[in-house]
Amino acid sequence: MAKKMKLAVLVLIGLMVSFGLNSGSYADETAKLTTAPEVPPALNRAGGAQVTVELETTEKKGAIAEGVEYTYWTFNGTVPGPFVRVKEGDTITFNLKNSATSKNIHSIDIHAVTGPGGGAKATQTPPGGKTAFQWKAINPGIYIYHCATAHIPTHISNGMYGLLLVEPANGLPKVDREYYVVQGDFYTKGKTGEKGSQAFDVEKARAEQPTYVKFNAMATPGNLKANVGETVRLYVGNGGPNLTSAFHVIGEIFDTVYQLGAVGSEPAKNVQTTVIPPGGAAIVEFKVDVPAAYILVDHAIFRAIDKGAVGILEVTGNENPDVYKALKSGGADAGH
């Protein structure tokens, strides 16, 4: 009988190891990455996984405005770089490759990392090279990552930033929609709207006089989508390098804001506009009650109207006259 009991225990332990149930240990996984404005799905597991993240730095041309071309420096070919989602307690192996076509050394500083340069010390990667480091996700929250190779402001100015979410151990409250938005300020030799290929202007950058201010400057175009009655969560970052963002959605109030990305702190409620410094991020949540095209802006409003810091959340569904109805409309455009 004792031998049978011992055998049963050994079989159970073997199954626990096979299925990753031994003291919170999990099989290795490669992080699912998404391009803005898309966000990977929530992680329906406990922390403690061994996670691999792989990014490649590239330098490529793209549009910065209609008829205006700019050479961006990127993570995985987009500005912002991919959204990375891990869990509190995970151990992450981070691999960085620099394209052989790059003209510059690149690296990464992840604000969620506790360690030298947030990983930048280990990842100074020449064109065609590869580097790696390992770190543990200790602090939950939403974090900026960016290049940290000299001259650091130039690398950030050219678009080298993105967001990384460390989900808290118990996850975030369930919502219907999640999206990813990062603001950045850009400095070109030509004036705002001047056509053709534009080069980076370091003197404008030092003077903090941007030619353009953009949300998701080089990401897939298109509006964010939601239906009336749904809850929306926006992960909003500010790559900078210089401007502080006054993030606002015209026609909505943020029900919940994790200011400065501080998951674990008491969130703010009923917020009209939230301040996001360069190198910072926030999480905003709200329910959409009325169909409309809601405009995302930096409410330092010249940046929105004249320099491009605009996005659209398109909400469809039935009208809700208990919440909003037009009584008598004027003939002029609304201005938004």
Side-chain angles (χ1 to χ4, degrees):
M1 183 68 177
K3 287 184 178 180
K4 288 183 179 179
M5 288 285 291
K6 185 176 180 180
L7 180 60
V9 170
L10 289 173
V11 170
L12 179 60
I13 291 173
L15 288 171
M16 290 172 68
V17 171
S18 298
F19 287 97
L21 300 176
N22 55 320
S23 304
S25 177
Y26 291 83
D28 293 350
E29 65 179 58
T30 299
K32 177 178 172 59
L33 306 178
T34 54
T35 301
E38 301 302 323
V39 176
L43 298 171
N44 295 316
R45 59 168 176 79
Q50 301 288 324
V51 180
T52 299
V53 177
E54 299 184 352
L55 293 182
E56 181 177 15
T57 55
T58 62
E59 300 165 14
K60 59 186 290 188
K61 291 183 178 180
I64 198 167
E66 186 176 352
V68 185
E69 189 178 66
Y70 187 76
T71 299
Y72 294 96
W73 299 357
T74 80
F75 291 99
N76 281 27
T78 65
V79 178
F83 192 99
V84 183
R85 191 168 198 155
V86 298
K87 195 90 167 190
E88 181 182 0
D90 285 354
T91 297
I92 297 97
T93 298
F94 190 90
N95 299 310
L96 186 67
K97 177 183 177 182
N98 190 0
S99 171
T101 62
S102 293
K103 297 180 180 178
N104 301 277
I105 296 171
H106 295 300
S107 61
I108 194 164
D109 170 1
I110 304 171
H111 286 190
V113 169
T114 301
K121 187 174 178 63
T123 56
Q124 298 298 325
T125 312
K130 296 180 180 180
T131 55
F133 70 100
Q134 190 174 84
W135 60 285
K136 187 163 186 174
I138 299 171
N139 303 97
I142 186 73
Y143 296 93
I144 281 280
Y145 64 81
H146 62 84
C147 187
T149 298
H151 175 255
I152 295 171
T154 295
H155 286 251
I156 296 174
S157 295
N158 284 321
M160 299 198 77
Y161 44 75
L163 285 183
L164 182 146
L165 174 66
V166 179
E167 277 192 18
N170 295 324
L172 291 168
K174 189 178 186 323
V175 293
D176 297 303
R177 308 270 184 162
E178 291 188 314
Y179 293 113
Y180 167 36
V181 178
V182 182
Q183 180 173 319
D185 34 294
F186 295 87
Y187 304 83
T188 64
K189 292 285 187 184
K191 296 178 181 180
T192 306
E194 188 171 327
K195 305 300 183 186
S197 182
Q198 295 294 331
F200 171 65
D201 189 326
V202 71
E203 294 307 321
K204 279 187 183 177
R206 286 174 178 148
E208 302 184 9
Q209 296 174 341
T211 322
Y212 299 95
V213 184
K214 307 289 286 187
F215 293 147
N216 294 355
M218 201 186 180
T220 304
N223 296 343
L224 313 184
K225 306 284 187 183
N227 298 313
V228 169
E230 290 184 327
T231 48
V232 177
R233 176 180 292 136
L234 301 179
Y235 299 97
V236 188
N238 184 3
N242 291 319
L243 302 185
T244 295
S245 176
F247 185 74
H248 175 75
V249 177
I250 297 170
E252 264 297 346
I253 296 94
F254 304 142
D255 300 324
T256 302
V257 177
Y258 297 91
Q259 296 173 310
L260 304 177
V263 173
S265 299
E266 189 66 27
K269 298 290 185 179
N270 304 319
V271 175
Q272 60 186 315
T273 300
T274 192
V275 174
I276 307 174
I283 303 173
V284 305
E285 300 170 352
F286 52 96
K287 181 182 177 183
V288 286
D289 297 298
V290 176
Y294 294 93
I295 306 174
L296 286 57
V297 298
D298 179 340
H299 215 294
I301 206 70
F302 271 95
R303 300 173 189 171
I305 303 302
D306 291 2
K307 295 191 175 183
V310 173
I312 301 291
L313 171 64
E314 186 178 334
V315 177
T316 56
N318 295 328
E319 297 288 342
N320 189 349
D322 288 340
V323 174
Y324 177 87
K325 62 181 175 182
L327 297 178
K328 183 178 180 180
S329 296
D333 289 340
H336 289 316

